[in-house]
Amino acid sequence: MTRFSSLFVLLAATLVSPAGASQPTPLVRTILFFSPTCPHCHTVITESLPPLVERYGESLVIVAINIQSLEGQRLFQNAGRLYGIPPEQLGVPLLAVGDRALVGSFDIPDQLPAIADAGLAAGGIPWPEIEGLQAALVAAGVEEAEAAGTEERVAAEEQAPSEGRVAVEEPPLVSEAVPESSAPPAERAAEPPARFEVTAPEAPADLVRAPEIADVETTLAIPDAGARRAIMDLATAESSTATLTPWQKFNQDRFGNSIAVVVLTGMVLSVLAVLALSGRRASLPHWPDWAVGLIVVVGLAIAAYLSYVEVTQAEAICGQVGDCNTVQQSPYARLFGLVPIGVLGFYGYAALGLGWLLRDRGPRHWNSGLAIALWLGALLGTLFSIYLTVLEPFVIGATCMWCVTSAGLMTLLLWAAPPGASEAWSGSRGPTGEQRDLTR
């Protein structure tokens, strides 16, 4: 893939250069721990890191380590010890750079540029001092073997106290399972496959927990045999995460995604019911004017906040349920890659609110047309919200509670608009406006 060409050139250069040789330019060396069945890792690999690779070129070295391999899991656990992360809080995606550990699909793209700039100004950042990492890089061909003393240095690192440890935010809540290794039976017995469990939702939901080996109910399959390799480049890591199933994505946050599915079911049933009742010209309850106005005002407020988050790339306030930051960072947060969905929603609510005001307070000959337009707008808004809600649990792998709430509000407008539209469509309201108000 062309977007990784600069990284390939850099890796090729490391294969022919002695490890201790001086580099023509300072380098920032980083390690990305990921899982092939982690949608948030896929987001970081395919969306967050490529622009940084293009920005820094050969000065930024990123090596991906798959934790669904025995070697990758060992290095991952060693990284947790180096950075002082308790085993029950260790999760992916995790980027190790110098004495810093960046966790999650928000912190990595948000903090890595500043760390890289400071590191390049200081002459570069060496590989993290993770136990066994140097030997693994040599075995993978990323680094040349040191002239002498590698084993002694590793042994000394095991004895020496860890310095420069950093505290990181409590990691993720979602479960992830590591499949059986292809290692010999004796080795598997000594070190069984890592398994992961769900914990209390007190941390960002964009991490996959990787605690010490424990029992779980199911094991997820790795997309292909090549995904079992521990050390790889970003292009290979991307291909390893490209075959995530909708169920694997849904499992990243079962509770939050389940809420999205419940709302989605209600929206679909609402559309079918409203269309069926309107087609039969059945009687629907009339909503008071204040209820419609309140729905529009709340919808405008939510859409305005989401617009601010998407335009400024600020971190959203997500609460304890769902992971709205992952949703807002996904490519689906912009229509055709250009228009932020929040901005589109804001203008949609504004148009519906304006139509509602003019229907009752504008020229009387506009009333019928505006009543029908208001219902059609609510129908289109609900159908678009259904599309977005399907994407969250099954394509993005995360649910934004702000978005789900906005979708619910649009569905309420769909129920509030049909009575007036039906009366206008059937001609029950005369052109002089002598009939009763359409919303009462």
Side-chain angles (χ1 to χ4, degrees):
M1 298 183 183
T2 57
R3 59 182 174 185
F4 297 111
S5 58
S6 61
L7 179 62
F8 291 157
V9 171
L10 177 59
L11 291 178
T14 61
L15 295 177
V16 298
S17 302
S22 60
Q23 299 289 342
T25 57
L27 300 177
V28 173
R29 301 171 176 86
T30 67
I31 298 294
L32 174 68
F33 291 98
F34 79 101
S35 166
T37 53
C38 164
H40 306 294
C41 301
H42 179 74
T43 299
V44 169
I45 292 170
T46 61
E47 300 172 22
S48 302
L49 293 179
L52 297 179
V53 172
E54 295 179 3
R55 171 180 172 181
Y56 292 101
E58 297 184 357
S59 298
L60 178 62
V61 185
I62 303 174
V63 171
I65 296 184
N66 175 18
I67 70 166
Q68 285 193 346
S69 66
L70 284 177
E71 182 181 12
Q73 184 62 211
R74 281 194 292 266
L75 292 172
F76 188 46
Q77 299 293 342
N78 291 342
R81 286 190 286 270
L82 172 66
Y83 294 108
I85 307 174
E88 68 276 7
Q89 296 181 1
L90 193 59
V92 290
L94 183 149
L95 186 91
V97 50
D99 62 354
R100 300 284 300 277
L102 308 181
V103 293
S105 58
F106 187 82
D107 285 351
I108 291 174
D110 183 56
Q111 300 181 28
L112 181 56
I115 295 175
D117 290 338
L120 292 175
I125 299 178
W127 295 113
E129 297 182 358
I130 300 172
E131 178 186 341
L133 175 62
Q134 187 66 36
L137 293 175
V138 170
V142 176
E143 285 285 348
E144 292 280 342
E146 294 182 353
T150 300
E151 296 182 359
E152 290 77 3
R153 182 180 60 80
V154 171
E157 289 177 352
E158 294 178 356
Q159 300 295 331
S162 299
E163 296 181 358
R165 296 190 173 188
V166 295
V168 294
E169 301 242 343
E170 274 189 65
L173 359 149
V174 190
S175 66
E176 177 78 11
V178 175
E180 297 281 347
S181 169
S182 58
E187 183 176 355
R188 288 203 304 268
E191 187 166 347
R195 313 226 182 226
F196 309 108
E197 57 189 16
V198 178
T199 58
E202 297 181 356
D206 61 342
L207 294 176
V208 177
R209 300 185 66 88
E212 293 181 329
I213 298 169
D215 293 332
V216 295
E217 297 177 358
T218 59
T219 297
L220 301 177
I222 297 183
D224 53 60
R228 300 180 192 274
R229 293 187 316 171
I231 297 179
M232 57 188 72
D233 54 50
L234 286 181
T236 307
E238 177 181 359
S239 64
S240 298
T241 63
T243 56
L244 298 175
T245 66
W247 182 245
Q248 288 172 334
K249 295 177 180 180
F250 177 86
N251 280 336
Q252 294 306 299
D253 183 5
R254 291 186 182 182
F255 183 67
N257 290 336
S258 295
I259 294 177
V261 171
V262 171
V263 174
L264 175 64
T265 303
M267 294 168 66
V268 172
L269 294 177
S270 294
V271 170
L272 296 177
V274 169
L275 289 177
L277 293 173
S278 298
R280 298 204 311 262
R281 296 183 180 178
S283 176
L284 289 172
H286 287 75
W287 289 52
D289 277 353
W290 65 265
V292 177
L294 178 62
I295 293 172
V296 170
V297 170
V298 176
L300 279 171
I302 293 177
Y305 177 68
L306 292 178
S307 300
Y308 166 78
V309 170
E310 292 166 359
V311 171
T312 64
Q313 295 296 303
E315 183 174 3
I317 301 174
C318 298
Q320 298 296 323
V321 180
D323 182 11
C324 49
N325 283 305
T326 295
V327 175
Q328 298 308 317
Q329 293 171 17
S330 74
Y332 302 100
R334 289 179 177 268
L335 184 63
F336 307 122
L338 300 173
V339 183
I341 295 298
V343 174
L344 185 65
F346 181 85
Y347 283 115
Y349 277 112
L352 291 174
L354 181 61
W356 167 70
L357 288 173
L358 292 178
R359 184 195 65 182
D360 294 331
R361 296 164 179 81
R364 291 186 179 276
H365 62 276
W366 290 6
N367 292 357
S368 296
L370 288 173
I372 296 174
L374 182 62
W375 180 74
L376 290 176
L379 177 61
L380 291 176
T382 303
L383 292 175
F384 188 63
S385 297
I386 289 175
Y387 162 73
L388 295 176
T389 307
V390 169
L391 293 177
E392 292 185 45
F394 301 115
V395 177
I396 302 174
T399 294
C400 171
M401 289 298 115
W402 294 108
C403 306
V404 169
T405 302
S406 178
L409 291 172
M410 189 63 69
T411 307
L412 291 178
L413 282 177
L414 178 64
W415 279 103
S422 298
E423 295 177 4
W425 189 268
S426 61
S428 63
R429 180 181 179 119
T432 59
E434 295 177 356
Q435 299 294 325
R436 60 182 173 84
D437 189 268
L438 297 179
T439 61
R440 296 183 185 135

